[in-house]
Amino acid sequence: MRQSQTVLRIRGVTKRFGPLVANDDVSLELRRGEMLALLGENGAGKTTLMHILFGHYRADEGEVEVMGRPLPPGSPRAALDAGVGMVHQHFTLAANMTVLENVTVGTRPLFSARLRQGAARRRLADLSARFGLHVDPDARVRDLSVGQRQRVEILKALYRDTRILILDEPTAVLTPQEGEQLFATLRLLVNRGLAVILITHKLREVMAASDRCVVLRHGRVVLRTATHETDADTLARAMVGGEVPRVGRRPGEPGAEVLALDGAVLCDDGGRTLLDGLNLTLRAGEILGIAGVSGNGQAALADMVSGLLRPQAGELRVHGRAVAAPSPAGMLALGVGRVPEDRIGTGLVGDLSVMENLVLEIYRQRPWSRWGLLDFSAMRRGARELIARFDVRCQGPGAPARQLSGGNMQKLILARVLSGNPSVILANQPTWGLDVGAATFVHKALMEASRAGAGVLLISEDLDEIFQVADRIQVMHRGRLSAPVRPDEADAAAIGLAMSGHGDARSEAARAS
Amino acid sequence: MGVLELLLETGFWVATVRMATPLLFGTLGELICERAGVLNLGIEGIMAAGCMGGWCWVYLGGSLWGAVGFAAAVGAALGLVHALLTVRLGLSQHVTGLGITMLASALSSFAFRMLLPKATTPPKITPFAAMDIPGLGSIPFLGPVLFGQTPLTLLALAALAVTAWVLYRTPAGLALRMAGENPMAVESQGLSVHAIRTAAVMAGSALMAVGGAFLTLAAFDAYYIGMVNGRGWICIALVVFASWRPGKALLGALLFAAFDAVQMRVQQQAGLAIPYQVYLMMPYVFSIVALVVMSRRAAYPAALLVPFRKGER
């Protein structure tokens, strides 16, 4: 049963951060029992708009109405009480506490003498059963998988009788199966009269699940349409503001070996085998794609190539010479550039400025420092140039790196790595969580670097990405690599099977050799 | 006399429980602050302020229980200063805490000197007397050890029970613990992290000050400068020893006090064969060893020392 009752009305919201206009006169409406997709590239202002709705930010202009009543700005409490619930992209859960504690915090008057966990437990069990969101209420959040944590976030909102549920990039962290399960749950919720806002840039999900779409670009609404009246191409064009850039593959002429692993073995402290005799050869001018579900040894492989871990058996060669005692600085000196998996944790130092992050690996060299003193004016000049060349959207060279959006963080890392002209580039999940535009930018940058003679080791869970840019593909499963295949010879289904460990002949062959 | 014999002696345990009382107050206070995510290095000074404030109240003619209340109020006020600087303004918790300690210690000495510019011997007050509860007091061992103390010792045990209850059994305690684990989780549920942390620091500081007041109102009958003598720092170590759990805080306070009591006895009996400083050192050596052993598996509150700034990514 559908009613076209408007539950949320946003009128003329404008929000500025310094000179940056994040939302420019944005208006939208949400009706009961519908799923609205809010689309846009990174930095288009989707997340800012939702933070305003949820009271984390105050809008400079405009107003928000929930159920026909104006929502007082700047108060998450008011938003919650009005029935607005939000599932953030970065979960807001306390890892050391239980599911039940995370769900119930703040739901009872602060100064009552009892927690009434018994009643809370029953209510949680009831919600879990009704919406198929199964999770152990007494489990500690740190022991849960990412998909389970998201279920806890949704339960947190449902526990509070949420009528408007906002999900920020909900599938960015999920496996395809978990994603499907999530959409089944959301359908169930919408059918019961909830209104859902889905913030995303995955067009496939939008087309499959949403009722209406609103597209934001540079903080403005550029398209407003019913989903069945549009198609993925139209939406993509609206998001990017023109034709969608496509990456063309080119036949490469691979050169000399730049990086090689010969039977590399690695065990963790507990004696578990992480890498079980890896063989790979990366040549100048090629992109070698390492496909596989994460957790199969990719992290160990990346750490080894970065110089953080030393193989316990086997050999690591750079430019044909064995590296006996690899260290991060040593690998850097040998020309290995690194685009790490965790942008915020290991890629950047969030509290340092953009320009400081750009010279993190070279600050001891001229012209960035002289006689042991940093030359900030040289750093600022260099940073301006790289910001322009790599189109990093930020408030300037002095802005803290943590203020950047995911896509711009990755551009910043690429700027640092590529400006050093590395001969080997390790790119670990380089487009994870990025939108189409930013991902295309990353792909182009990596392909340009390989055309200029660098060898690129691309570790990715995204098979489409691997097929799009890699010259050769190896599949990683349980610490082993299959023998390389060329994408035009390879069968996506076979590679997918190898990823899930349903053996393939070529990996057997690789092991035997 | 061997240590074993000493451990069987009721008088030894009476002394241990008495000496553990200020440590228990201080450790509980620090634990509450840290569970909410705020390190309070002001504890040493806040205890000194409570020590001086409590004594002063009685010296100027107030009642003993009024003095306990006044000390708590002084502690809460200093806690408010710490919270304004570290919670509202997000300043360094280390620097602010040390500043509070210096400020409060110096103010206590200053107030004492202003009050008694010419005193050579500290004037005495009439402190809390040991309780004499009919029936309970005559239970063997437990009677004198627990009920032969001053009422402040029972107050410390009551504070322990209330702290444990509030932290683990009430919505406020849940919110407080979560503010120390992930402030965003609290803020996104519509609660104010700033308010919760400020309240926790004030309540914790009040307990610390009562621990200080115990020294002048129960353990001794006069105030002298430097009376807290590092007990605050010991409490900081005891919180880690306790893995941020109230029950273990009691254990830690008793253990440290027992070492102190042993040290005093042995020192008396062994005479001057060994320099007395060696004995004085023992409890502190114990606390370092205990810290090394315990803190290896201690789980810090995840957001301890991390200021929460609203509206920031």
Side-chain angles (χ1 to χ4, degrees), chain B residues 85-154:
Chain B
L85 294 172
T86 58
V87 178
R88 292 275 155 189
L89 301 178
L91 301 180
S92 158
Q93 298 179 4
H94 287 110
V95 176
T96 307
L98 292 175
I100 298 274
T101 282
M102 287 193 268
L103 174 75
S105 305
L107 275 182
S108 306
S109 315
F110 181 69
F112 182 68
R113 280 285 164 232
M114 289 296 282
L115 203 61
L116 297 159
K118 296 198 182 85
T120 45
T121 48
K124 290 185 192 299
I125 56 170
T126 311
F128 277 108
M131 292 178 295
D132 185 16
I133 308 170
L136 286 176
S138 54
I139 304 171
F141 188 71
L142 263 189
V145 169
L146 214 52
F147 302 108
Q149 305 280 358
T150 59
L152 285 186
T153 299
L154 287 192

Side-chain angles (χ1 to χ4, degrees), chain A residues 80 93 96 101 160 403, chain B residues 169 177 181-182 189 313:
Chain A
L80 283 167
L93 298 170
N96 285 332
E101 287 176 323
R160 285 177 166 272
Q403 286 181 352
Chain B
R169 294 289 162 86
R177 284 184 291 135
E181 291 288 343
N182 183 355
Q189 290 281 66
R313 284 188 270 188

